[in-house]
Amino acid sequence: MAEVIHPDEILDEIEVSDLLTKALSLKKDNFRLSQACAAYANEKIELSYSFANDDTYQFTTLRVVIDPETEVPSITEIIPPAVFYENEMKELFGVKIKMISTDLQNRLYRIEEETPMIPKKGGN
Amino acid sequence: MGKRSVIPYGPQHPVLPEPIHIDLVVEDETVIEAIPSVGFIHRGLEGLAEKRDFNQMTYIAERVCGICSFQHGMGYCEAVERVFGVEVPNRAKYLRTIWAELGRMHSHLLWLGLLADGFGYENLFYQCWRVREKVLDLQEMTSGGRLIFSVNCVGGVLKDIPQEKLDIILKTLDEVEEECKIIKDTFFQDYTVQSRLQGVGILTKEQAHDLGCAGPFARASGIRTDMRKLGYAAYPDLDFEPIISTAGDSFARCYIRTMEVFQSIDLLRQAIAKIPNETDLVTPVKGNPNGEAFMRVEQPRGEAVYYVKANGSPNLDRFRVRTPTFANLPGLCEMLKNTKLADVGLLVITIDPCVSCTER
Amino acid sequence: MAKLKKSPWLLHYDGSSCNGCDIEVLAALTPVYDAERFGVMNTGDPLQADIFLITGGINTQNKDVVKQLYDQMPRPKVVVAVGVCACTGGVFKDCYNILGGADSVIPVDIYVPGCAARPQAIIDGVVQAVELLEKRSEEHKAMKKNKKKGA
């Protein structure tokens, strides 16, 4: 029988201003960025930055809930591989992310439609 | 300093069947920087969540990628099951494990073949794919499809594998194991293979960790990570240890995937020996999902993260897949630095890129 | 199938498929199914290809790539759409970035159904393409001859 390592996942709801300090402290605790994504619900945008630890299998998600107009600092300066995730958020959801290390200017997927993941107002 | 120039690699090129475009900044013959650009296969599959209900999304999730199709379906279903809070019947858990490991075998054999093709060993490529066909036959026999099974549903699996077919799997596994041993010896001992793979494209453990690499790519650099240890499906009942290597070069990646074929054979034997005799295959779910869940599964290419956010209506608010190749792209760009231009095609293959996963 | 005069070369491009059809195209060329016994060879160079196998639907970014590959191929040429996504768009038809099947940008001659298309079906499509190619090259020759006479 193999041992199962499955610590409870942590979901940490934080303010935009705390994002960089929290991400930095997770990085210092030997976490790697596992995924980052945005979701649109109730006219708010939820950003989830998930971090994983390969030794303990701990999975911690930082959740930031913002208005679509709020500006968010980029975490690429602390965690360089976040660059693709942040460009994806920016292109698909129109999240205003400041200072991405390599800002592809909405040209990651090069789609013609703007912010396709946000439901159209008044449309079907 | 030599002359600098930019060489475009892809999207249509002979090494990989899939389109990926990389701009290579080269100085004489050495790559200085690699800048990938994606989007040739971007379909916008995650956006379909608003048009399809959560049961139909199972079939969309399976078509994120045709190679690890079953595992995508399983990951999605496990995530929705978490939202519902239902437990899958025991036999269904084992059946999922069996299909998942068959999928891993065929994916790794496919990769070994592509690798052999990458360094021009056509014969070995054909041998790997010949053995792989036997695994595909098993998949077809048990599910009805060679690549895309559509046997997953929220709450369990739709099909059973009767005992006679399990016996056929065991018998075929013996044959496949014998043939894989020959393939393994060729990869591990052949002079041409060694000279192309050893010491090429090194990624250190620190780099792999900082760049968030996943799966065999990270394990080849010495990171002990295997999401099967999280204990989804029937993995808590099976005995296995993640295979790791510390060399971090192309040969280590080849070693990991070759050995994982044998690990999968072993896991399949264990699972077939332990599979409980039940008739229940699906735990029915009532109503619509409400809530959110993350799910991590170990795919042939590494850790995949599924995120499901539901609002109590049949349509999900958000369905998100973070596929292993997406996580491995930064690692690939780092690895390509200071390599020879002629090695680039081979090195791109060593991360086992799945572009349709990456771009969805 | 009658005896062939030439060995047609095949160019494969992955439009925006899920990879399933692509590996089946490759499987059709490997020993178990062996499309090469019809004289078909896989090439990566559009300038030397006669048959264009396309898998997956067309999206906004790859439509120019597909068009360019098609234009680069010398006449006469045959296009085979492999899999339901290349035929109509398939399950991804409603995605925001999918324009439709391969025929939305280039003329398609032969449609191979399936999700994923089975190697047997792909071989059947390729064999039909080979026959069509023979016919087209006859027509092409006749057209050239007429032009010469007219000049």
Side-chain angles (χ1 to χ4, degrees), chain B residues 1-50:
Chain B
M1 199 178 105
K3 196 176 154 231
R4 282 204 181 190
S5 47
V6 179
I7 294 182
Y9 174 84
Q12 195 274 336
H13 55 89
V15 191
L16 255 190
E18 290 179 286
I20 184 169
H21 181 93
I22 305 176
D23 282 315
L24 300 164
V25 182
V26 293
E27 195 178 290
D28 293 338
E29 280 284 298
T30 313
V31 179
I32 305 290
E33 206 181 352
I35 307 152
S37 67
V38 293
F40 289 95
I41 328 189
H42 181 70
R43 291 155 282 185
L45 180 151
E46 289 172 353
L48 272 183
E50 62 182 76

Side-chain angles (χ1 to χ4, degrees), chain A residues 2 34 38 57 63 88 108, chain B residues 38 238 292 318 320 322 360:
Chain A
S34 178
Y57 287 87
R63 167 71 48 84
E88 188 187 64
L108 174 70
Chain B
V38 293
L238 308 177
E292 57 177 316
R318 179 83 163 108
R320 151 89 171 154
R322 198 282 276 142
R360 303 171 304 280

Side-chain angles (χ1 to χ4, degrees), chain B residues 96-215:
Chain B
R96 280 185 178 175
T97 312
I98 289 170
W99 274 312
E101 290 305 319
L102 281 174
R104 192 182 315 276
M105 273 173 76
H106 108 75
S107 172
H108 281 343
L109 284 167
L110 174 138
W111 179 82
L112 286 169
L114 284 182
L115 179 77
D117 189 40
F119 54 71
Y121 204 148
E122 199 102 333
N123 197 332
L124 193 53
F125 163 54
Y126 283 151
Q127 291 295 344
C128 292
W129 279 59
R130 187 178 55 80
V131 178
R132 174 178 166 267
E133 284 294 331
K134 291 192 178 176
V135 183
L136 288 184
D137 286 346
L138 289 181
Q139 295 186 347
E140 190 177 356
M141 176 189 77
T142 51
S143 71
R146 275 165 58 89
L147 293 168
I148 293 176
F149 308 166
S150 301
V151 285
N152 267 309
C153 68
V154 175
V157 292
L158 297 168
K159 259 186 200 146
D160 193 12
I161 308 181
Q163 190 57 43
E164 310 87 73
K165 288 188 176 172
L166 291 176
D167 292 338
I168 298 176
I169 295 181
L170 284 178
K171 215 179 118 217
T172 317
L173 280 182
D174 291 340
E175 293 169 25
V176 171
E177 192 179 22
E178 283 308 308
E179 304 209 54
C180 283
K181 274 182 188 155
I182 302 172
I183 289 175
K184 180 184 102 178
D185 288 345
T186 317
F187 270 108
F188 289 2
Q189 288 162 13
D190 195 286
Y191 167 74
T192 35
V193 181
Q194 304 283 330
S195 59
R196 274 314 291 277
L197 296 182
Q198 234 150 22
V200 184
I202 294 176
L203 193 77
T204 62
K205 188 176 177 181
E206 286 71 35
Q207 284 173 329
H209 178 267
D210 289 346
L211 296 170
C213 297

Side-chain angles (χ1 to χ4, degrees), chain B residues 12 17-19 38-45 48 51-52 63 65-67 110 125-126 129 132-133 140 146-148 354 356, chain C residues 11 13-20 23-24 26-27 31-33 36 44 59 61-62 91-92 94-98 115 118-119:
Chain B
Q12 195 274 336
E18 290 179 286
V38 293
F40 289 95
I41 328 189
H42 181 70
R43 291 155 282 185
L45 180 151
L48 272 183
K51 292 176 187 152
R52 304 271 184 273
R63 283 157 179 83
C65 164
I67 304 178
L110 174 138
F125 163 54
Y126 283 151
W129 279 59
R132 174 178 166 267
E133 284 294 331
E140 190 177 356
R146 275 165 58 89
L147 293 168
I148 293 176
C354 179
S356 64
Chain C
L11 174 75
Y13 184 74
D14 172 355
S16 60
S17 87
C18 72
N19 229 336
I23 52 179
E24 292 293 55
L26 267 183
V32 177
Y33 297 99
E36 291 189 6
N59 70 13
Q61 193 180 158
N62 73 21
V91 286
F92 304 121
D94 290 341
C95 288
Y96 56 79
N97 203 28
I98 290 283
C115 178
R118 296 177 63 85

